[in-house]
Amino acid sequence: MSGTIFDISKSGRSAKAQMPKGVNEKHNIPKNYLRKDKPLLPEVSELQVVRHYTNLSRKNFSIDTQFYPLGSCTMKYNPRGVHRLAFLEGFLNHHPLSLDENSQGFMACAYELQEILKVVTGMRGVSLTPMAGAQGEFAGVAMIRAYHELRGDTLRDEIIVPDAAHGTNPATAAQCGYKVIEIPTGPDGNVDIEALRKIAGPKTAGIMLTNPSTLGVFDQNIQEIAKTIHSVGGLLYYDGANLNAILGKVRPGDMGFDVMHINLHKTFATPHGGGGPGGGPVAVSERLVPFLPTPIVGKTETGFRWLTKEQCPQSIGRLSAFMGNAGIILRAYMYARLLGQEGMIRIAEYATLNANYLLTKLRKAGFTPAYPKRLASHEFIITLKNEARDLHINALDVAKRLLDYGFHAPTMYFPLLVPECLLIEPTETESKEVLDAFADTMIKILEEAKTNPELLKNAPHHLPVRRLDEVKAARELDLVYNPQLPSDV
Amino acid sequence: MTNIPKKLFYSATHEWVRKDEDVLTIGITDHAQTMLGDLVYVELPEPETGFETGQECAVIESVKAAADIYCPISGEIVEVNEELLQNPQVINQDPYGKGWLFRLRPFENDFTNKLLNADQYTKQVASEAH
Amino acid sequence: MPFIPHTKEDTKAMLETIGVSSMADLFKEIPSALQTANLSNLAPQLNESELSRLMHERANLDNHLTCFIGAGAYQHHIPAAVWEVTSRGEFLTAYTPYQAEASQGTLQLLYEFQTMMAGLMALDVSNASLYDGASALAEAILMAARHERKAETHKVLLPRTIHPLYREVVKAIVGQHDHIELIEIDFDLKTGQTTLEKISGDRFTALVIPQPNFFGVLEDTDELTDWIHKKNGLAIAVVNPLAMSLLKPPGLWGEKGADIACGEGQPLGIPLAAGGPYYGFLCCRQDLVRQMPGRIVGRTVDAEGKQGFVLTLQAREQHIRRAKANSNICTNQGLLVTASTIYMSLMGPEGLRLTALASHQNTVFLQEKLSKLSGVNIIFNSPLFHELVIKIKQPVDEVIQKLAKFKIQAGFALQKYYPELGNCLLICVTETKTKEDIEFFTKKLKEVIDQPVTTRAET
C-alpha cells in the first residue's frame, strides 16, 4: 500500500526534464530577504510522481467510474470534449489582463453564456463572476442589501430561510450582516405559508428559497410566497442548487424571484474536481441589474468589452481578482451549445423521470419515502427511521454498504429535519439499467440488514480503508506530514 | 435510560446547575452529551466575564454537531474547567462530575424558580423523544 | 438528446412503472401557468465536431502573443504530466470527499498539499484551498477579526502596494462587515515599498504584508512584521508561493513570524486560462486553525488501525454551524489543488527555487537592458523579484497597443490604479522567456518610444 509522496522522497532526486536550464546562483536580493532552509517538498522522479498520483486517483469514486447519486449535487456526466476544448492553446495561455481586442474569443463565449442564462432563468441581467454557488449567494444577498440601502430602506435586517435550506443560505445571510429567521416546513414538504405570513414584515429584507426544495418536492405555493414577500417590500432569492429539476421547463424569473445563482458544476455539467472549482453565476430581475458584480461582458459595435466599476458604478464590486472561474464559464458555455434548444428542454424531463422511476422501485421494495404523497422532483428522500427502530440499522450503515457494491452513497442526514434520510439524485444521464441495478442492491442490503446486520455495521469491507475514526482525527489534529513520524507504509 | 440526578437543577437547553455555597457549577446533561456524541472540542468563557441568563457563553463540538451553551443564570464566571480543553471526552465520560464546564457567581440569589427540577427536566426529555 | 441514454422503450417502460401516462404527468404538481419556459431564443444544438470547429475559431481570436504581463497571473512552464494525471476521471469527476472511504485519493492528496503549502510558508497548518488569491486575502482579514473577538471594531491596514484588484475584492467582501475598517497605507515613491511613517494610532487588528508587492518590489518583511506585533495585531502575509522557495517565508519573518499567509496558487502549475479557475491558499499558526474557513483534511486510522484521511474540524463549517459558521464557503478548488500538488512534487524544492531564480535573473537582465535606453526610467531602486516598473514619456496605453502589433504583450499600465504613476508599465519576465525574447522586447520598445507620438492619448 502506498504511503505519502514524502515517504518515497530522497534527497538529491528530481524530475530532471522539468528543470529550468542555464540558471546560475547570481541574484540581486539582499541576504536577509532570502530563504535559508529547504522547504518540505518531495524529491522524486517523474515516474514516481505519475505512479503515485495515478494510484491515488484509483482510490476515488467518481462519475466516470461509478453511479454517484449524491442528492443536491447533480452528479451528471461531464462531457470529455468540453474539457479537452477548454485546453486549446488560445484559451490556456491567455492572460486575464490582455487587451480586449486580443480577448474576443473568450469574451464571445462568456457573452453568449450570459444570454443563454437569461433565457433559461427568465431574468434580465447576468454576471458570471461568482466562483461557486456560495459566492453567488453572497453576491445575491449583497445585491439585496445594496438595493434596500440605495432606497434608504435601512431598517430591514432580516432574511427568512426555511429550516430545510442548505447551510450556505443562513451562513451567507449572516456574512452579509442579516439576522436569520427560520421558517418551518409543513407536513407536505412545502413552506408553512401561514408561518411565513406572520414572520414577513417591514424588517424583511428577503427570503432565500430552493424550489424544488431540498426535500425533493416542488412548492406549489411559490406564487403566493412571492406575493407575500413582495407585498412587504422584501425580495426573493432563488438558490439554484436544484435548477436541474426545472431547466428548460420552468423559470425562476416567472415564479417571481428577483435574484438567483446557478451552479455550473451541477446544472451545466462542469467537472466537480474532487470539491471544486464550482461556478456560481448570478441572474437578476430588472431592478437589481445595476448592482451585479463586475466584470461583465458587454457588446458594442466594435466587439466585446469588459464592463467594470467605471461602467457599473452601483455594482456590489468585484469578487475575484480577474474573471471568476473563466475556464468553468467556458466549459458551461460549450455544454449549453451541445444541448441547444432541443437538449435543454429534455434535462428536467429525464432528470425527473429517473428520480420518479427509482423512487417507485424503492417504494415498491418496502423503503419509506419521506413525502409519500408527493411526486419526486429530480431527487427524492428515503427515510430509514423504521429500519433504525426495528433493525438498529441507520442511514450511515446503508450508505457505507452501498460503497461495497460499487455505488457512491446518496447524501446522508440532509436535510436535517428528516430522520435517518438518504437524499437520492440519479440525474438524467443514467440509464434504466443502472437505476435497476441500484434498486436491486438497495433491496439486497435491506435483506442483509435483516439476516446479517454486521455486514452493514462494519461496512465498507472492500474499499482501500475500513470505516475511519473521525473522532481521533478531530481530537488529535494531524494536518501536515511530519517527517519525524513516518506513516505506515 | 439517561441519568438525571435528583439533586441538580436544569435548564430547558440541557445545562445542569449545582449550588455550592455562593457559586454555581454548570455542565451539560447526560442526555445532551449522548445526543451530541463523542466530543472533540470545547470553547469556554473567560473568567471574570459576566453573562445574562440565556446568553451564549461556551461552545462544544462533536464531529457532526456543534452546540452553544447558554448561561442558565446570569452571573460572573469565576472558574472554568481547563482540563476539558485538552480532554473534551471527559464530558462524555462523567458529565455531572469531572465534566463540569464552569463556575459562576450569580447576580441574583433566588434563581431556582427559573430552572427545572429533575422531574420537570425528565418530562421534557421524554417529550422531545416523541 | 445529448447525454441522455433512454431509448423510446425505456421511457415508456419507466413511465408505466411509475404509473403515469406521459412525461407531462410528472410535472402535474407544478402550476401550469409556470410551465412556460420559452427557449426559442436558444441556438439549435451542436454536435462535438461542430463545437470543436467553433471553439478552435474562438481560441484563435485570442492572440498568441509573447506575454510580459504579470500583475497577479504568471506564465510558467507546466509539465505535461500535471494535467494528464489531473484530468483522470477519478480526480476530475469526483465530488467533495463526503464519503471518506470512497475518496482516499482526493483526501490523501489534499493532506499532501496542506503539508507542501505549510512547508513553503513555514507555518503550522494549511487549509485545502479557497477560490482565488484575492478572496483568500479577504478571508484572512475576516480570520484576524474573529481572532480579536473582544474588540467591537477592527482596524485592518491594507497597503496600496497590494494588488489593486485584490483590494477591490477585499472591499466587496469585508465591506459587508460593518465592524471592520480598512485603512490604506501609502508607499514610498523612491523605493516602491510600503511606508509606515504616516500611520497614527496604536491599536490595529492586522497589517497585510505583500512579498513581493504588486510592483514586484521586495518589502522589508521583518520590519513590517515586528511593527504590527508591537501593536498587538496580526501579520497577514500575501505572497507569491513560487517566490517562497527563494525568499524568506512568512513563518520566519521578524522575531515571531507572520501569523497568517495567503495568496494566489496559480504560479504553481495552473495555466493563465483567461483568469481562472485558479486557487487561493491559506496557512496559519496552529492556534488560529479554528478561525480558518474552508475544508481541512486530517490523518487518522480506520477500524483496523490503518492510516486513512478524513475531512476534519467540520463543525466550523456552514453545513453544521449554519448562520454561525465562520464563512459560507462550501467548495474549495479541488481540481486546481490536484494539479498544483502534482506540480510541486515534480518540481521539488530545487525545481521551484530554480524557476524562481531563473525568473528573477531574466527580469534583472531586462532591467539592465532597459536602463540603457534613453526615455526609459526604472523608477524604484529596491530589490525586485520577477517584475519591474518603468516610466516612459509616451502615453503608456499607446505603447502597449503598438507593441501588440509585434506580438508582444508589454505589461500592465499602472496609472488607472495609481494616478501618481502616470505612463508607468509593470513588466514581468518569467523563466519561460529566452534571452532573445528579452532582446526583442527591448529592441521593439526602443523603436516604439523613439517614434513621434501619433495620436493623443485618451487618458
Side-chain angles (χ1 to χ4, degrees):
Chain A
M1 283 307 299
S2 63
T4 67
I5 188 85
F6 305 102
D7 295 310
I8 53 172
S9 172
K10 198 171 192 180
S11 185
R13 192 177 276 157
S14 68
K16 299 240 169 28
Q18 308 305 338
M19 296 301 124
K21 283 170 59 184
V23 191
N24 55 38
E25 287 300 318
K26 265 172 59 180
H27 60 75
N28 289 356
I29 300 169
K31 216 172 154 194
N32 61 332
Y33 286 20
L34 288 172
R35 179 165 198 139
K36 294 191 182 74
D37 67 329
K38 190 157 84 173
L40 177 62
L41 292 172
E43 295 177 76
V44 282
S45 73
E46 187 161 333
L47 172 60
Q48 284 181 304
V49 174
V50 169
R51 191 174 286 162
H52 176 76
Y53 289 106
T54 300
N55 283 331
L56 273 193
S57 79
R58 293 167 67 186
K59 296 182 177 183
N60 272 0
F61 279 29
S62 68
I63 301 170
D64 279 6
T65 50
Q66 271 98 359
F67 180 44
Y68 210 124
L70 192 64
S72 216
C73 296
T74 313
M75 301 298 282
K76 61 165 103 175
Y77 173 59
N78 304 154
R80 278 280 160 177
V82 163
H83 184 61
R84 163 92 67 89
L85 291 169
F87 276 77
L88 290 174
E89 200 67 14
F91 299 129
L92 210 62
N93 286 327
H94 189 69
H95 196 285
L97 299 173
S98 300
L99 299 172
D100 287 0
E101 48 267 47
N102 294 332
S103 314
Q104 293 294 301
F106 171 74
M107 289 169 97
C109 298
Y111 180 83
E112 286 175 27
L113 181 61
Q114 289 172 188
E115 295 302 308
I116 291 168
L117 294 181
K118 284 185 207 168
V119 171
V120 301
T121 59
M123 295 289 190
R124 297 300 293 274
V126 167
S127 167
L128 301 173
T129 127
M131 290 176 281
Q135 212 190 29
E137 287 181 37
F138 176 86
V141 177
M143 282 190 272
I144 290 175
R145 185 173 167 182
Y147 168 82
H148 290 310
E149 278 178 3
L150 192 76
R151 289 156 49 95
D153 199 353
T154 52
L155 293 177
R156 298 182 184 274
D157 63 353
E158 296 177 355
I159 292 270
I160 301 172
V161 178
D163 53 5
H166 296 112
T168 49
N169 292 178
T172 302
Q175 290 280 312
C176 292
Y178 283 109
K179 227 183 284 169
V180 176
I181 309 292
E182 263 201 3
I183 30 163
T185 303
D188 53 358
N190 291 342
V191 164
D192 182 338
I193 195 132
E194 283 314 313
L196 180 67
R197 286 206 183 93
K198 279 183 204 132
I199 289 166
K203 290 177 107 35
T204 304
I207 186 170
M208 299 179 83
L209 286 176
T210 315
N211 197 22
S213 72
T214 58
L215 301 168
V217 296
F218 190 92
D219 196 322
Q220 301 106 318
N221 302 324
I222 184 61
Q223 289 155 300
E224 189 57 32
I225 294 171
K227 224 168 85 189
T228 305
I229 295 297
H230 282 150
S231 72
V232 299
L235 299 181
L236 283 89
Y237 186 93
Y238 182 85
D239 176 338
N242 290 345
L243 188 65
N244 214 51
I246 56 169
L247 190 69
K249 267 265 183 242
V250 179
R251 308 191 305 174
D254 298 333
M255 289 188 233
F257 285 94
D258 301 283
V259 46
M260 66 178 291
H261 77 263
I262 299 128
N263 296 98
L264 296 180
H265 52 290
K266 299 179 182 176
T267 320
F268 284 81
T270 65
H272 285 71
V282 281
V284 295
S285 63
E286 190 77 50
R287 53 181 154 185
L288 292 179
V289 169
F291 306 106
L292 282 168
T294 59
I296 299 166
V297 183
K299 193 178 180 182
T300 69
E301 279 172 11
T302 54
F304 300 101
R305 290 283 171 263
W306 289 117
L307 307 178
T308 60
K309 64 179 179 187
E310 285 77 28
Q311 295 81 17
C312 313
Q314 291 176 318
S315 163
I316 57 155
R318 186 181 274 275
L319 301 175
S320 65
F322 303 111
M323 179 46 197
N325 285 336
I328 297 304
I329 291 166
L330 208 52
R331 285 171 177 82
Y333 167 72
M334 288 189 260
Y335 175 72
R337 295 301 309 269
L338 285 172
L339 292 182
Q341 213 185 94
E342 311 90 309
M344 201 75 77
I345 194 163
R346 301 276 174 243
I347 300 287
E349 290 181 355
Y350 283 85
T352 305
L353 176 70
N354 275 1
N356 279 287
Y357 175 72
L358 191 52
L359 170 62
T360 305
K361 291 208 64 154
L362 292 178
R363 178 164 46 200
K364 285 180 180 166
F367 287 95
T368 313
Y371 296 94
K373 292 183 184 143
R374 303 291 307 265
L375 281 167
S377 61
H378 66 312
E379 62 186 356
F380 61 92
I381 300 175
I382 294 291
T383 168
L384 299 171
K385 61 178 183 200
N386 296 338
E387 289 78 1
R389 186 192 56 213
D390 302 337
L391 305 170
H392 306 289
I393 286 301
N394 59 29
L396 182 77
D397 300 326
V398 172
K400 297 298 180 199
R401 189 64 180 144
L402 273 169
L403 302 180
D404 271 336
Y405 286 104
F407 294 107
H408 195 279
T411 298
M412 329 172 283
Y413 299 102
F414 179 84
L416 306 171
L417 57 137
V418 182
E420 297 299 336
C421 68
L422 294 176
L423 177 60
I424 304 173
E425 180 182 7
T427 83
E428 74 278 8
T429 60
E430 295 295 338
S431 66
K432 178 172 176 292
E433 291 85 339
V434 168
L435 304 182
D436 288 339
F438 179 80
D440 291 345
T441 303
M442 286 289 284
I443 293 163
K444 195 168 170 192
I445 292 174
L446 189 57
E447 205 44 49
E448 288 174 349
K450 291 170 189 159
T451 55
N452 191 358
E454 291 308 305
L455 274 178
L456 279 70
K457 285 275 164 217
N458 296 325
H461 304 268
H462 310 310
L463 269 73
V465 289
R466 305 291 299 274
R467 241 180 249 199
L468 290 157
D469 188 345
E470 293 187 43
V471 173
K472 177 183 161 71
R475 278 186 190 156
E476 303 161 31
L477 287 181
D478 174 358
L479 310 179
V480 297
Y481 175 84
N482 179 346
Q484 267 78 53
L485 306 169
S487 51
D488 68 29
V489 178
Chain B
M1 225 10 238
T2 182
N3 175 14
I4 302 175
K6 290 278 180 203
K7 59 180 194 288
L8 301 179
F9 294 99
Y10 299 88
S11 72
T13 46
H14 308 287
E15 291 87 13
W16 57 260
V17 179
R18 187 179 70 220
K19 191 169 177 344
D20 310 308
E21 311 265 312
D22 57 344
V23 294
L24 307 180
T25 303
I26 287 148
I28 66 163
T29 65
D30 184 38
H31 173 70
Q33 71 80 17
T34 309
M35 297 301 285
L36 284 163
D38 291 329
L39 295 174
V40 296
Y41 178 67
V42 177
E43 201 176 290
L44 295 170
E46 289 196 26
E48 295 175 34
T49 337
F51 289 94
E52 294 301 314
T53 305
Q55 199 182 345
E56 291 160 18
C57 59
V59 179
I60 51 181
E61 289 179 6
S62 66
V63 281
K64 298 289 183 221
D68 292 311
I69 304 300
Y70 301 95
C71 196
I73 288 297
S74 66
E76 185 186 285
I77 306 291
V78 293
E79 191 186 350
V80 298
N81 186 356
E82 306 244 352
E83 144 132 53
L84 301 180
L85 302 177
Q86 294 308 315
N87 296 308
Q89 61 268 32
V90 172
I91 300 174
N92 296 114
Q93 292 155 1
D94 190 7
Y96 298 111
K98 286 185 186 148
W100 64 278
L101 296 176
F102 54 87
R103 297 203 164 97
L104 67 74
R105 193 181 311 281
F107 290 148
E108 43 198 317
N109 287 326
D110 187 25
F111 59 85
T112 49
N113 59 345
K114 293 182 180 161
L115 295 170
L116 308 174
N117 62 33
D119 288 344
Q120 290 165 320
Y121 181 66
T122 306
K123 271 183 205 148
Q124 183 195 310
V125 171
S127 74
E128 277 179 18
H130 299 288
Chain C
M1 292 188 292
F3 317 123
I4 294 176
H6 302 61
T7 65
K8 268 186 195 152
E9 294 70 36
D10 289 341
T11 305
K12 189 162 164 274
M14 291 167 82
L15 288 169
E16 266 169 27
T17 303
I18 299 167
V20 295
S21 54
S22 72
M23 204 68 105
D25 285 348
L26 295 175
F27 293 88
K28 65 185 177 205
E29 288 186 9
I30 302 180
S32 56
L34 291 177
Q35 298 192 41
T36 51
N38 176 0
L39 304 181
S40 62
N41 282 337
L42 295 184
Q45 69 188 30
L46 303 178
N47 64 19
E48 191 177 299
S49 166
E50 291 169 313
L51 180 73
S52 173
R53 173 143 192 167
L54 172 74
M55 295 312 283
H56 275 87
E57 287 167 14
R58 293 263 166 98
N60 286 337
L61 289 175
D62 294 353
N63 296 1
H64 302 250
L65 310 187
T66 308
C67 183
F68 287 90
I69 314 178
Y74 303 99
Q75 191 168 44
H76 290 290
H77 166 68
I78 301 173
V82 170
W83 283 93
E84 282 289 320
V85 178
T86 300
S87 295
R88 283 182 66 91
E90 299 93 327
F91 283 135
L92 189 69
T93 70
Y95 201 21
T96 304
Y98 293 121
Q99 293 291 341
E101 299 85 353
S103 315
Q104 285 300 297
T106 292
L107 285 163
Q108 181 175 331
L109 181 139
L110 291 174
Y111 178 84
E112 293 177 3
F113 168 78
Q114 289 171 188
T115 304
M116 293 179 198
M117 286 320 296
L120 261 183
M121 298 301 138
L123 280 163
D124 301 327
V125 290
S126 163
N127 78 358
S129 79
L130 296 166
Y131 303 134
D132 76 343
S135 61
L137 175 57
E139 293 292 344
I141 290 171
L142 295 176
M143 262 179 88
R146 282 195 294 275
H147 175 67
E148 196 190 45
R149 250 185 317 180
K150 278 190 180 164
E152 299 214 333
T153 56
H154 309 277
K155 289 182 177 173
V156 175
L157 298 167
L158 191 63
R160 289 180 70 223
T161 53
I162 306 280
H163 198 307
L165 298 176
Y166 280 36
R167 283 183 281 132
E168 284 189 21
V169 173
V170 167
K171 229 164 110 187
I173 294 174
V174 177
Q176 293 292 329
H177 298 256
D178 298 330
H179 59 295
I180 304 176
E181 184 190 349
L182 298 168
I183 301 166
E184 293 212 324
I185 322 180
D186 237 314
F187 58 93
D188 185 314
L189 270 170
K190 283 207 185 70
T191 64
Q193 289 176 320
T194 301
T195 162
L196 298 167
E197 277 165 23
K198 290 182 199 155
I199 305 300
S200 58
D202 57 359
R203 182 78 195 98
F204 299 105
T205 305
L207 167 67
V208 182
I209 306 170
Q211 186 74 327
N213 73 22
F214 183 62
F215 306 130
V217 164
L218 299 183
E219 298 272 7
D220 188 342
T221 54
D222 291 339
E223 186 193 329
L224 294 168
T225 304
D226 288 341
W227 183 89
I228 187 66
H229 282 155
K230 281 195 193 94
K231 307 266 178 193
N232 294 317
L234 297 187
I236 300 175
V238 51
V239 299
N240 180 331
L242 176 69
M244 293 305 113
S245 62
L246 180 65
L247 302 177
K248 189 188 281 181
L252 302 177
W253 291 354
E255 281 174 25
K256 291 196 286 183
D259 306 280
I260 303 172
C262 64
E264 176 54 67
Q266 181 273 334
L268 302 174
I270 314 301
L272 291 173
Y278 299 164
Y279 73 90
F281 63 86
L282 185 62
C283 298
C284 68
R285 291 188 337 233
Q286 183 78 38
D287 64 312
L288 291 167
V289 66
R290 284 179 180 276
Q291 303 305 338
M292 256 202 189
R295 303 247 143 92
I296 299 174
V297 172
R299 179 159 67 165
T300 183
V301 295
D302 74 359
E304 291 170 354
K306 193 164 118 190
Q307 163 177 288
F309 301 86
V310 293
L311 290 175
T312 192
L313 294 176
Q314 292 192 73
R316 299 162 298 122
E317 294 186 77
Q318 47 77 27
H319 61 285
I320 291 177
R321 255 317 200 299
R322 298 177 78 83
K324 286 178 184 157
N326 64 18
S327 89
N328 74 343
I329 286 173
C330 185
T331 53
N332 58 18
Q333 300 279 101
L335 194 68
L336 293 311
V337 167
T338 306
S340 233
T341 306
I342 297 172
Y343 174 84
M344 287 190 274
S345 301
L346 282 166
M347 302 307 284
E350 192 56 10
L352 286 190
R353 199 183 72 90
L354 289 176
T355 303
L357 199 54
S359 302
H360 170 75
Q361 287 170 2
N362 279 348
T363 308
V364 171
F365 180 60
L366 177 70
Q367 186 182 30
E368 283 162 7
K369 291 268 162 199
L370 294 183
S371 65
K372 290 177 191 142
L373 295 189
S374 66
V376 173
N377 261 324
I378 312 281
I379 64 165
F380 299 132
N381 59 10
S382 300
L384 52 79
F385 175 49
H386 69 358
E387 284 171 281
L388 83 147
V389 178
I390 62 167
K391 188 173 174 71
I392 49 180
K393 296 204 173 72
Q394 291 73 9
V396 65
D397 289 326
E398 199 177 302
V399 169
I400 290 174
Q401 297 274 357
K402 285 181 178 167
L403 285 171
K405 300 214 169 65
F406 298 110
K407 300 224 167 262
I408 293 170
Q409 285 186 301
F412 181 75
L414 291 172
Q415 60 199 17
K416 182 175 168 191
Y417 297 98
Y418 300 93
E420 66 269 54
L421 299 178
N423 293 329
C424 284
L425 190 64
L426 177 67
I427 308 167
C428 171
V429 199
T430 66
E431 91 290 357
T432 57
K433 303 299 174 289
T434 61
K435 195 165 165 260
E436 291 73 31
D437 291 333
I438 295 167
E439 281 165 349
F440 184 71
F441 179 95
T442 311
K443 186 172 151 222
K444 290 299 164 189
L445 178 69
K446 180 173 163 32
E447 279 176 33
V448 165
I449 61 177
D450 284 348
Q451 284 169 13
V453 175
T454 48
T455 56
R456 290 182 67 86
E458 283 169 27
T459 47

